[in-house]
Amino acid sequence: MKESLQIAVDTGGTFTDVAIRGEDGSLFVWKVPSTPDSPDDAVIDGVTGAIEELGADITSISQFVHGTTVATNTVITRTGARVGLVTTAGFRDMLTIGHQARPSLYDQHHQRSKPLVPDELISEVSERVSADATIIRPVERDEIIDLATRIRARELDVLVVSFLNAFVNPENERNAVAILKELGAAPEIFAASSISTEMREYERTSTGTINAYVQPKIAGYVGRLAQRIREIDVSAPLWIMQSNGGLLTPDHASEHAARTALSGLAGGVVGSAMWADQLGLDKAVSFDIGGTSTDIALIRDGQPDETMAGQIDDLPLQLPSVDVHTIGAGGGSIAWLDSGGGLRVGPQSAGAVPGPVCYRRGGLDLTVTDAHAVLGRLGSSLLGGRFELDLAAARQRMTEWGDSLGLSTEDAAEGILRVINATMARGIRKVSVERGVDVRNCALIAFGGAGPLHGSDLLRELDMKSAVIPPMPGIASAVGMLDAPERHDFSSPVDVLGPEDHGSIAMVHSDLATRAESAMDCPDPNLSYLVDARYVGQSYELTIPYVADWESQRKILDSAHAERYGFSDASAEMEIVVARLVARGEESAKLQSRETNDGGMLSPVELRQVYIQGSWKQVPVYERADLSTGTSLCGPFIVNQLDSTTYVGPDQLCRVDEFGFMHLTEGI
């Protein structure tokens, strides 16, 4: 009988990562360069290459999970569909006006991102629904017929209908969509309320237009990928990672394309949350460094923080997602000088092509990876010897750049790392200190291709509890996807101001549960009941667990408010504005322990000169596979493996636990 294999593929800006898990829990990793112009090429190359290297039968794949950056890249590069918008008369400028939030308060030159729908593709309809769901003016068929003629002439790809207050009563929206579909106004037509059913018209409309903008590309990509994996004899169903850390079928991903906006990075957060839970880390920071960016998320009691109001390219996205703070800092981040002569690193990136100078692909700009190479933290090759580095070229370019700054080669390289580490430290504080969590009580789960190279430095700079390096950090996002469950989120607006109305939430949850059971592919899903609550007068909410007792519900809100904002208001009244339900499939797998250290001597594979704290030092280099359970080593040293390199600094202790995780702590 063939062994059943689970496979996950994570497409990144520089590399596409492949993780394969066997029935015995063993993991095999593989990496291939990404192909940004055609991401599915790298997916197929990665899968076939990994299976060939493993010596397995490709027909034995029983699960195929994929995290994609197609939606994100489509919005950022503005290469999406031609989208039209139909809205309530008087509100055509909603996307342009937005709201009063100003991310750069004192930057007079700051430019907001342009809406995805230009003004000439926006139409108005004389309908109206009141805030209490009363239809003041229904949709007039004759008006829609006249409008459809004008819309057809615009040759749209997708048309979105978003009416005022449709979140409390979508009847007008649905009627307009039905008539426009009947008249063939556009190839694809849908109501914004079918994507987001929550209040705040600008955010809901923005979410609908984002979904429309990326939908054709996501549908085309997912369909093409599903066909291509069938052509290479993979019969397993394709699952797509979504922003909330769960999985979607290709059909659901095509219809609700905006839910894949944070698809790639969510896998790492899911994995980090599972690892934190099973390692007993009550507070942890998921820290994923790739070639272009660093994705940071807070994890409490084994659960990642989530947000119901994210952003993509400064555009509101009102869908549940893991609450990730992304910064333009990665291995490919380019070093440059600002107008005042100050050293900056990123957010510009050398990407996969041409990449860092040491990648031998024609790159001329020095990057973070080049700095690590010059300082000796990286050896002469990556990916187990399959990817040769040009250390001499990186050093020569660093010397030239250092001379122009009056710095030595080593000081220039160290300067790049200090600057990028400071940027990363600010990002970590953003998800911890700014949310009322003492960063010194957090463990840093560092992964991604470059995460283990920076874990030691950030552990020291932020005085964190520990830095934890997963067994296969370079493909941790792909590994996390293997354990992600199927997930669907549902919500409905409510208006509850006291105990007399609190019981109505249970009926709303019951309706949502019925919808969840019909949407889920797996039987008997795990249902979580939540509400969005706030103090009366506030314009923001906190998502908290639902309980049937009003007083207990109030205590949960007070506790959550105090943790997030540092205080609770006993004199304020509570109101509940949204009822939520999260439906999940089977829970993730458990970590498997490894054999205990047999007590044999651990020998380095080489001794390497590494520049540390102002001087060159000879440090041992170990292979990760040789670090068995119970191994304890004092820094400085370096650990090599196929998918990443770990640097451990002076006066730091590294301990390997029973699951193969490396735990770095300060002080020996």
Side-chain angles (χ1 to χ4, degrees), residues 434-636:
E434 293 188 19
R435 297 181 188 175
V437 175
D438 190 338
V439 71
R440 294 170 297 183
N441 295 329
C442 296
L444 182 71
I445 302 179
F447 58 97
L453 281 168
H454 293 266
S456 168
D457 294 336
L458 292 165
L459 168 66
R460 179 159 292 168
E461 180 162 341
L462 294 170
D463 192 23
M464 299 185 74
K465 189 174 182 180
S466 63
V468 180
I469 316 297
M472 295 176 178
I475 63 156
S477 289
V479 173
M481 291 177 193
L482 288 173
D483 296 319
E486 180 187 359
R487 172 170 166 170
H488 291 271
D489 291 78
F490 302 89
S491 63
S492 179
V494 295
D495 185 14
V496 176
L497 288 167
E500 64 279 0
D501 299 322
H502 194 51
S504 64
I505 295 177
M507 293 183 289
V508 176
H509 276 146
S510 179
D511 292 338
L512 297 180
T514 301
R515 291 171 54 191
E517 289 166 0
S518 63
M520 297 288 286
D521 275 25
C522 73
D524 194 25
N526 177 31
L527 305 181
S528 299
Y529 300 95
L530 308 166
V531 292
D532 284 5
R534 65 188 182 188
Y535 297 136
V536 173
Q538 289 181 329
S539 60
Y540 55 89
E541 302 82 42
L542 289 171
T543 301
I544 58 176
Y546 165 75
V547 292
D549 179 67
W550 178 258
E551 293 302 322
S552 299
Q553 190 76 78
R554 174 57 188 257
K555 290 179 181 178
I556 294 174
L557 172 62
D558 289 341
S559 176
H561 200 281
E563 181 177 17
R564 184 63 182 267
Y565 300 108
F567 74 98
S568 60
D569 189 349
S571 63
E573 296 180 3
M574 176 178 71
E575 64 176 333
I576 298 173
V577 294
V578 179
R580 298 187 184 277
L581 182 140
V582 178
R584 295 182 178 87
E586 295 181 17
E587 293 298 320
S588 58
K590 300 296 183 182
L591 293 173
Q592 294 192 352
S593 59
R594 309 188 311 172
E595 293 182 3
T596 306
N597 192 340
D598 60 8
M601 291 294 294
L602 178 64
S603 300
V605 294
E606 67 169 304
L607 296 176
R608 183 189 302 166
Q609 291 291 320
V610 181
Y611 194 77
I612 303 173
Q613 298 176 352
S615 64
W616 288 97
K617 293 180 173 61
Q618 184 171 264
V619 305
V621 179
Y622 301 97
E623 283 295 330
R624 182 73 183 261
D626 295 336
L627 305 185
S628 56
T629 299
T631 298
S632 184
L633 295 170
C634 299

Side-chain angles (χ1 to χ4, degrees), residues 278-456:
Q278 297 186 35
L279 295 175
L281 307 174
D282 59 339
K283 290 184 176 62
V285 175
S286 174
F287 187 68
D288 179 6
I289 308 180
T292 304
S293 62
T294 297
D295 302 314
I296 311 169
L298 180 65
I299 297 167
R300 315 186 214 202
D301 298 322
Q303 296 295 322
D305 279 9
E306 294 189 5
T307 179
M308 305 300 165
Q311 285 189 337
I312 177 171
D313 196 29
D314 293 332
L315 302 175
L317 187 62
Q318 197 177 46
L319 292 171
S321 67
V322 291
D323 195 355
V324 176
H325 177 59
T326 299
I327 57 177
S333 294
I334 295 171
W336 55 285
L337 300 179
D338 62 20
S339 58
L343 173 59
R344 300 292 186 92
V345 184
Q348 303 90 344
S349 174
V353 178
V357 174
C358 64
Y359 274 16
R360 300 174 179 264
R361 292 178 174 171
L364 298 177
D365 294 314
L366 288 168
T367 67
V368 173
T369 296
D370 292 312
H372 284 299
V374 168
L375 296 176
R377 295 187 179 188
L378 292 177
S380 59
S381 65
L382 300 175
L383 303 181
R386 292 189 294 117
F387 195 90
E388 293 291 331
L389 299 181
D390 192 342
L391 300 183
R395 185 168 183 82
Q396 179 181 348
R397 183 72 184 90
M398 190 71 72
T399 299
E400 294 170 355
W401 200 62
D403 288 344
S404 69
L405 300 175
L407 297 173
S408 69
T409 304
E410 293 80 9
D411 287 343
E414 273 204 329
I416 291 173
L417 294 189
R418 287 197 189 102
V419 171
I420 201 68
N421 283 334
T423 300
M424 293 172 178
R426 286 196 297 272
I428 294 172
R429 293 188 185 99
K430 187 81 174 177
V431 305
S432 56
V433 177
E434 293 188 19
R435 297 181 188 175
V437 175
D438 190 338
V439 71
R440 294 170 297 183
N441 295 329
C442 296
L444 182 71
I445 302 179
F447 58 97
L453 281 168
H454 293 266
S456 168

